Amino acid sequence: MTHETLDAGTKLPAEAIDAIERAATAATHPHEELFSARAANIKQSAVRDVFDISMRPGLVSLAGGNPYLQSLPLEKLGQTAARIIAEDGMTALQYGGGQGTAELRQQVCAIMAAEGIMDAQPENIVITAGSQSAQDVATKVFCNPGDVVLVENPTYVGALNTFEAYQVQVEPIEMDDDGLVPELLEARIAALQSEGKSIKFLYTIPNFNNPSGITLAEARRQQIVDICRKANIIVLEDNPYGLLRFDGHPIAPMRAANPDDVIYLGSFSKIFAPGLRIGWALVPAHLQRRFYLASEAVTLCPPPLNQMLVSAYLRDYDWQGQVETYRGLYAERCNALLSALDEYMPAGVSWTRPDGGFFVWVTLPEAVDTYPLLKKAIDAGVVFIPGAAFSPADGPSNKLRLAFSAVPPDTIAEGVRRLAPVLAEAIKATTEGAAL
Amino acid sequence: MTHETLDAGTKLPAEAIDAIERAATAATHPHEELFSARAANIKQSAVRDVFDISMRPGLVSLAGGNPYLQSLPLEKLGQTAARIIAEDGMTALQYGGGQGTAELRQQVCAIMAAEGIMDAQPENIVITAGSQSAQDVATKVFCNPGDVVLVENPTYVGALNTFEAYQVQVEPIEMDDDGLVPELLEARIAALQSEGKSIKFLYTIPNFNNPSGITLAEARRQQIVDICRKANIIVLEDNPYGLLRFDGHPIAPMRAANPDDVIYLGSFSKIFAPGLRIGWALVPAHLQRRFYLASEAVTLCPPPLNQMLVSAYLRDYDWQGQVETYRGLYAERCNALLSALDEYMPAGVSWTRPDGGFFVWVTLPEAVDTYPLLKKAIDAGVVFIPGAAFSPADGPSNKLRLAFSAVPPDTIAEGVRRLAPVLAEAIKATTEGAAL
């Protein structure tokens, strides 16, 4: 797929969305009445819609947060997979344990140690089908319909989809440049608990939040855990990007000093390969058994072949060197995006400056809704994700997410150059509208 | 692992189970009150307990329904995996579509055609993480807490675990030698609906049912679909063993003539390799979208590498020849088990004679509970699964499951020879007890 030429025949996203809605409402089969109450909460991800569109030739996609895999040693990885199947195929291709292999759980402890979690035990780790599956299991184990889950605003769209499938009330808490604001968290917890609401966990992406790129300041981390502990709320700390900090040392995860209060989620999707669908949860000892059994009830076991390939990669390859490569690569792309934004963005637009990860979060004047701009952006040859996708409310949003992970620096600049006039026109239109 | 020598130091299952119970009840952390209502329904699978025990050297395990993978061309499969990663690694290791790859969905249509489903369309197929995951998704999409799911008695323990995690009322319907009895199904539906119960689906394994080995007679299949259609109940037809019929042609699945009434579940676990965790659901067109979105909300996508390896296997290998090999191999093992039962079993014991699949279901006199016999059997050097595991009721069962799939014929005979005196003693004890 090339991002260089623009295909004039690009189909509009509105058409695709209309078709989906038609399909959803046209059905009159008596089976309709059999759907569970939660089924109505299971929605098409706006991000997925845009992914399909962004695969079209000619478009510059700043939509998808795909990792850049070209720098992996594919030939050698293929030989490793061949050896695993030829020599250990009876294990790799057979059913495995529901908790994951002992070797991988041991290795995961070493990865977490690199981030500052020094006391992880393999028996408290559950290997999952990506950390998406761990979010699903956590919600299954803790949430009754109507229970509250707290999230950062904005937060990961996949987690929102998972939570909503359990009919959970998702309550977004505002962030500032230092991440989730402890005072707002504390006040919201107090208000919700005084209403009699049962708050089960806080879902947080403290490092280079998806979609905002914002990092939770070190000084706030313990404060937030303390607030949650006091209110008997579990912290679900999702840290897929933690090792992808551009400079300096990682900030210790909230889990590091709080082994009983935090379920920590890790993933190989960003530091190795998302297509293997291997992540993990480090679960407090008193919660581990229920978490593990719920995970087993969904998929029996994570695929042994995939786990063994990850284990071999961690054992026999310079995975830390690869992470260094990724850090440099993503830093370069982030800089390309920030430079292009500096160069092209019209007045009234601001954006975050992430210390790592994949995303920059762009804010337009309040009167601008970014969702209708998507169609215009596609016409101009660039794709982004509108901000509304990252919030449980369905209302308009003056934000949008730009992903720099999967696109070369020159193409990033071209994408921003295409986006700028679309945003400028929208800002002009709202200013004129306001002046009438 | 060898099954030939008996390890005198074998740990008792009761000890393991006690330890689990202690761990479950000792906890007094305030997080205990955060568990969802459904979490209490997520239980340790008795089958899993026994699997762990049955890995010990010296035991003959007739417990695990693992497929026999030794006849797979592992060296060649390894080379195929190497080529996929080296040449298509950017796809194989990257995120993929939530519904599964187009190629695999096309190929799955051809597999189902071999079983008699001629009209399957790739767009109505959802690739899942094994058919276990498809059972989970179906329950998620259709079942509110308290809804009823109908199952055969006995039925697959993994499905029971999945259903119970959704707080569903599982209602077992009796089988005879020709499978589920339509009259009993119809009467139970009438009784439940007259109580105001909402019955969502019938879960059935029509071919070589796990654990009983019983096949639903051809004449009953349409009858059962008609009963369900009339009552507006979906049929969830799970057919992992369908191609593993020892002789003759497959009986057409219920889905074949009933495209709107049946969700059909298939799996590569028994005809290729369970460790890849790839199965599929063929979903009626009017239910497909909700099913697919729910699947995506759990794991984002099935692992592309695994799907591509299955596709290459179906494309470039003689997979039908391999199925023929499996059929011959499992027929031989089944015969070895039946012969050994004929030779060694005491009076009062009867068993099924399956036409395919992995399992024989053994019935003891009604007064005998097979669960306490497990410990004695392990002492005697053989492992089985007690019948209680395969029924939603927790009461005693005079049945037990023997799996012949993973064990060579000679070892099967030795296992039955070890089992016979344990059963004879139990029968004698109950007879004497009754005589007192």
Side-chain angles (χ1 to χ4, degrees):
Chain A
M1 159 182 55
T2 168
H3 296 279
E4 301 309 320
T5 54
L6 177 57
D7 174 8
T10 301
K11 198 181 156 200
L12 306 180
E15 289 175 32
I17 292 161
D18 284 354
I20 289 162
E21 292 304 317
R22 271 198 308 279
T25 55
T28 54
H29 195 283
H31 287 159
E32 287 288 304
E33 70 189 56
L34 297 182
F35 284 123
S36 64
R38 78 176 71 80
N41 277 29
I42 300 173
K43 292 180 290 198
Q44 179 87 6
S45 158
V47 174
R48 280 277 161 177
D49 288 346
V50 175
F51 276 177
D52 291 345
I53 291 157
S54 67
M55 300 294 272
R56 294 185 197 140
L59 286 181
V60 173
S61 177
L62 302 174
N66 284 3
Y68 182 76
L69 302 180
Q70 273 85 338
S71 65
L72 285 175
L74 293 180
E75 191 78 33
K76 195 178 163 204
L77 279 169
Q79 291 311 315
T80 299
R83 189 183 48 70
I84 290 169
I85 293 173
E87 295 175 11
D88 284 324
M90 293 300 96
T91 305
L93 301 179
Q94 190 55 274
Y95 291 111
Q99 194 174 353
T101 67
E103 181 179 16
L104 185 55
R105 287 184 286 121
Q106 190 77 54
Q107 291 169 315
V108 158
C109 292
I111 293 176
M112 290 190 287
E115 300 216 60
I117 299 173
M118 311 312 293
D119 64 339
Q121 298 296 321
E123 61 265 31
N124 293 327
I125 290 165
V126 178
I127 305 293
T128 58
S131 68
Q132 186 80 29
S133 176
Q135 294 158 22
D136 178 74
V137 170
T139 321
K140 175 172 260 187
V141 167
F142 295 110
C143 294
N144 295 315
D147 283 351
V148 173
V149 167
L150 306 171
V151 300
E152 292 152 347
N153 191 21
T155 192
Y156 170 53
V157 59
L160 288 175
N161 285 343
T162 297
F163 300 151
E164 289 174 3
Y166 285 90
Q167 303 160 274
V168 162
Q169 178 180 336
V170 180
E171 286 284 331
I173 316 283
E174 295 304 315
M175 296 198 278
D176 62 19
D177 291 346
D178 285 330
L180 195 63
V181 181
E183 293 73 21
L184 297 179
L185 173 69
E186 195 162 25
R188 186 74 65 88
I189 289 172
L192 287 162
Q193 291 189 334
S194 78
E195 288 172 33
K197 288 287 180 186
S198 181
I199 309 173
K200 294 305 179 72
F201 57 79
L202 164 68
Y203 172 76
T204 172
I205 309 162
N207 293 314
F208 335 122
N209 165 284
N210 176 0
S212 74
I214 293 171
T215 293
L216 180 64
E218 189 161 14
R220 287 185 179 177
R221 296 192 173 205
Q222 190 59 46
Q223 207 180 343
I224 283 174
V225 177
D226 290 341
I227 290 168
C228 288
R229 184 195 297 114
K230 198 176 132 201
N232 199 29
I233 295 168
I234 291 165
V235 176
L236 191 62
E237 180 176 30
D238 192 9
N239 195 21
Y241 311 101
L243 290 171
L244 300 178
R245 169 176 287 276
F246 304 144
D247 294 301
H249 286 289
I251 304 176
M254 288 184 271
R255 164 60 181 78
N258 300 283
D260 286 343
D261 304 290
V262 179
I263 296 175
Y264 179 88
L265 308 185
S267 172
F268 290 102
S269 292
K270 309 306 191 286
I271 60 170
F272 181 27
L276 298 175
R277 308 307 303 125
I278 296 290
W280 72 89
L282 171 63
V283 185
H286 60 282
L287 302 174
Q288 186 277 339
R289 181 172 167 268
R290 290 259 169 96
F291 197 97
Y292 151 62
L293 292 178
S295 182
E296 188 178 72
V298 176
T299 57
L300 286 187
C301 64
L305 172 62
N306 304 236
Q307 296 178 77
M308 290 164 81
L309 187 55
V310 173
S311 278
Y313 178 73
L314 296 171
R315 189 195 329 113
D316 302 333
Y317 291 65
D318 179 18
W319 72 267
Q320 282 145 315
Q322 181 68 38
V323 167
E324 285 304 313
T325 302
Y326 280 141
R327 285 166 56 153
L329 185 117
Y330 294 132
E332 184 191 5
R333 290 174 177 204
C334 183
N335 284 333
L337 176 55
L338 295 173
S339 298
L341 289 167
D342 285 336
E343 183 173 350
Y344 295 115
M345 278 294 116
V349 180
S350 62
W351 52 89
T352 55
R353 304 189 80 85
D355 295 325
F358 286 8
F359 307 109
V360 166
W361 187 236
V362 176
T363 300
L364 279 71
E366 269 199 34
V368 180
D369 181 8
T370 55
Y371 191 81
L373 301 187
L374 179 57
K375 177 196 168 315
K376 291 174 181 162
I378 291 169
D379 288 343
V382 61
V383 193
F384 61 84
I385 309 272
F390 305 97
S391 167
D394 279 333
S397 166
N398 62 325
K399 317 272 187 175
L400 59 87
R401 187 189 82 175
L402 299 179
F404 52 79
S405 56
V407 188
D410 287 358
T411 311
I412 289 173
E414 172 61 17
V416 174
R417 200 190 59 76
R418 295 177 185 182
L419 181 61
V422 175
L423 303 190
E425 193 193 344
I427 293 168
K428 187 159 164 258
T430 55
T431 315
E432 284 170 359
L436 286 180
Chain B
M1 160 180 57
T2 169
H3 296 279
E4 301 310 320
T5 53
L6 178 58
D7 175 6
T10 302
K11 198 180 157 200
L12 304 181
E15 288 175 32
I17 292 161
D18 284 354
I20 289 161
E21 293 304 317
R22 269 199 309 279
T25 54
T28 54
H29 195 282
H31 286 159
E32 288 287 307
E33 69 189 55
L34 298 182
F35 284 123
S36 64
R38 79 176 72 79
N41 277 29
I42 300 172
K43 292 181 289 199
Q44 180 89 8
S45 158
V47 173
R48 281 276 160 176
D49 287 347
V50 174
F51 277 177
D52 290 346
I53 292 158
S54 67
M55 301 293 272
R56 292 184 198 141
L59 286 182
V60 173
S61 176
L62 302 174
N66 283 3
Y68 182 77
L69 301 180
Q70 272 84 338
S71 65
L72 285 174
L74 293 180
E75 191 78 32
K76 194 178 164 204
L77 279 169
Q79 290 312 314
T80 300
R83 189 182 48 70
I84 290 169
I85 294 173
E87 295 175 10
D88 285 323
M90 293 300 97
T91 305
L93 301 180
Q94 188 57 274
Y95 291 111
Q99 194 174 353
T101 67
E103 181 179 17
L104 185 55
R105 286 184 285 121
Q106 191 77 53
Q107 292 169 315
V108 158
C109 292
I111 293 175
M112 290 190 286
E115 298 215 61
I117 299 174
M118 311 311 293
D119 64 340
Q121 298 297 319
E123 61 264 31
N124 294 327
I125 289 165
V126 179
I127 305 294
T128 58
S131 68
Q132 185 81 28
S133 176
Q135 294 157 21
D136 177 75
V137 169
T139 321
K140 176 172 257 186
V141 167
F142 295 109
C143 295
N144 296 315
D147 284 351
V148 172
V149 167
L150 305 172
V151 300
E152 291 151 348
N153 191 20
T155 192
Y156 171 52
V157 59
L160 288 175
N161 284 343
T162 297
F163 300 150
E164 289 173 5
Y166 285 90
Q167 301 160 274
V168 162
Q169 178 180 335
V170 180
E171 286 284 332
I173 316 283
E174 294 305 315
M175 297 199 280
D176 61 19
D177 290 347
D178 285 329
L180 195 63
V181 181
E183 293 72 22
L184 296 179
L185 173 68
E186 195 163 25
R188 186 74 66 88
I189 289 172
L192 287 161
Q193 290 189 334
S194 78
E195 288 173 33
K197 287 287 180 187
S198 181
I199 309 172
K200 294 303 179 73
F201 58 78
L202 164 68
Y203 172 77
T204 171
I205 309 162
N207 293 313
F208 335 124
N209 165 284
N210 175 359
S212 73
I214 293 172
T215 293
L216 181 63
E218 190 161 14
R220 288 185 178 177
R221 295 191 174 206
Q222 189 59 45
Q223 206 181 343
I224 283 174
V225 177
D226 291 340
I227 290 167
C228 287
R229 186 195 295 114
K230 198 175 134 202
N232 199 29
I233 294 167
I234 291 166
V235 176
L236 192 61
E237 180 177 28
D238 193 9
N239 194 22
Y241 311 100
L243 290 171
L244 299 178
R245 170 176 286 277
F246 302 145
D247 293 302
H249 285 290
I251 305 177
M254 288 184 270
R255 164 60 181 77
N258 301 283
D260 286 343
D261 304 290
V262 179
I263 296 175
Y264 179 88
L265 307 185
S267 172
F268 290 102
S269 291
K270 309 306 189 287
I271 60 170
F272 181 27
L276 298 174
R277 308 308 303 124
I278 297 291
W280 71 89
L282 171 63
V283 186
H286 61 282
L287 302 174
Q288 186 276 340
R289 182 172 166 270
R290 290 260 170 95
F291 197 97
Y292 151 61
L293 292 178
S295 182
E296 187 178 74
V298 176
T299 57
L300 286 186
C301 64
L305 171 63
N306 303 236
Q307 296 178 76
M308 290 164 82
L309 187 55
V310 173
S311 279
Y313 179 73
L314 295 172
R315 190 197 327 114
D316 302 333
Y317 290 64
D318 179 18
W319 72 268
Q320 281 144 315
Q322 181 67 38
V323 168
E324 284 305 313
T325 302
Y326 280 140
R327 285 165 56 153
L329 184 117
Y330 293 132
E332 184 192 4
R333 290 174 176 203
C334 183
N335 284 333
L337 177 54
L338 295 173
S339 299
L341 290 167
D342 285 336
E343 182 173 350
Y344 295 115
M345 279 295 115
V349 180
S350 61
W351 52 89
T352 56
R353 305 189 80 86
D355 295 324
F358 286 8
F359 307 110
V360 166
W361 188 235
V362 176
T363 301
L364 278 72
E366 270 199 35
V368 180
D369 180 9
T370 55
Y371 191 82
L373 301 187
L374 179 56
K375 179 199 166 312
K376 290 175 182 161
I378 291 169
D379 288 343
V382 59
V383 193
F384 61 85
I385 309 271
F390 305 97
S391 165
D394 279 334
S397 166
N398 61 327
K399 318 271 188 176
L400 59 88
R401 188 188 82 175
L402 299 178
F404 52 80
S405 56
V407 188
D410 287 358
T411 311
I412 289 173
E414 171 61 17
V416 174
R417 201 190 58 77
R418 294 178 185 181
L419 181 63
V422 175
L423 303 190
E425 193 193 345
I427 293 168
K428 186 159 166 257
T430 56
T431 314
E432 284 170 0
L436 285 181

